[in-house]
Amino acid sequence: MKFITDLFNNRIFVSAALGWFVAQVLKTLIHMLITKQFVLERMVGSGGMPSSHSATVCGLATAVGMCYGGGSYEFAMAAILAIVVMHDAMGVRMETGKQGKVLNEMLEIFTNMGKQISAEAKLKEFVGHTPLQVLMGAVLGIIIAVIVMNI
């Protein structure tokens, strides 16, 4: 029980976790406003606005920087992690989502031609992020960390 208490008293952990949670809630609400439907998967799924990956790692890096300073090895590790995660979200994972969309369109064509395709064959299209989604997640994570670290 002490571990759980210590974890939730750790402002660095709380900054990162709260960054993820707030981004996921916002992502779900934005998706609901645009599509007019509530999709529970958006609460835990990848892709969309804002990037919860960026909010998490930027919340972490900001809190670590505020706690240990910009010259610390802790901040260096957190900052490099944030850069790698955000770059990956815009690069490899974004391309994976684009490929998933194209492949799903091909599956739809095959289905319309009378070919039997299982429902499991459909690929996820919400995987990566646009630069704007990453930027908004980063800004959100930084703001949350600044608030949490100053409480």
Side-chain angles (χ1 to χ4, degrees), residues 20-134:
W20 173 85
F21 180 75
V22 171
Q24 289 298 124
V25 169
L26 286 173
K27 181 186 306 190
T28 303
L29 293 174
I30 290 169
H31 187 266
M32 190 170 64
L33 287 171
I34 292 170
T35 65
K36 306 291 188 240
Q37 11 176 286
F38 175 73
V39 179
L40 186 60
E41 188 272 336
R42 295 285 65 215
M43 275 301 293
V44 294
S46 299
M49 171 68 93
S51 165
S52 58
H53 290 86
S54 296
T56 303
V57 294
C58 285
L60 174 69
T62 301
V64 167
M66 291 176 73
C67 188
Y68 297 105
S72 67
Y73 73 86
E74 293 93 343
F75 176 72
M77 290 174 27
I80 293 299
L81 173 67
I83 291 166
V84 168
V85 167
M86 291 187 296
H87 181 269
D88 181 63
M90 289 186 299
V92 175
R93 290 186 333 108
M94 186 63 176
E95 289 303 315
T96 301
K98 289 177 185 177
Q99 291 171 5
K101 186 173 184 164
V102 169
L103 290 170
N104 286 337
E105 289 170 2
M106 291 171 62
L107 289 173
E108 184 69 28
I109 291 168
F110 290 141
T111 302
N112 292 339
M113 292 171 53
K115 306 279 190 228
Q116 290 289 49
I117 310 253
S118 70
E120 294 85 35
K122 189 165 170 92
L123 301 169
K124 287 182 72 173
E125 295 177 17
F126 280 119
V127 181
H129 293 284
T130 65
L132 179 62
Q133 292 169 340
V134 169

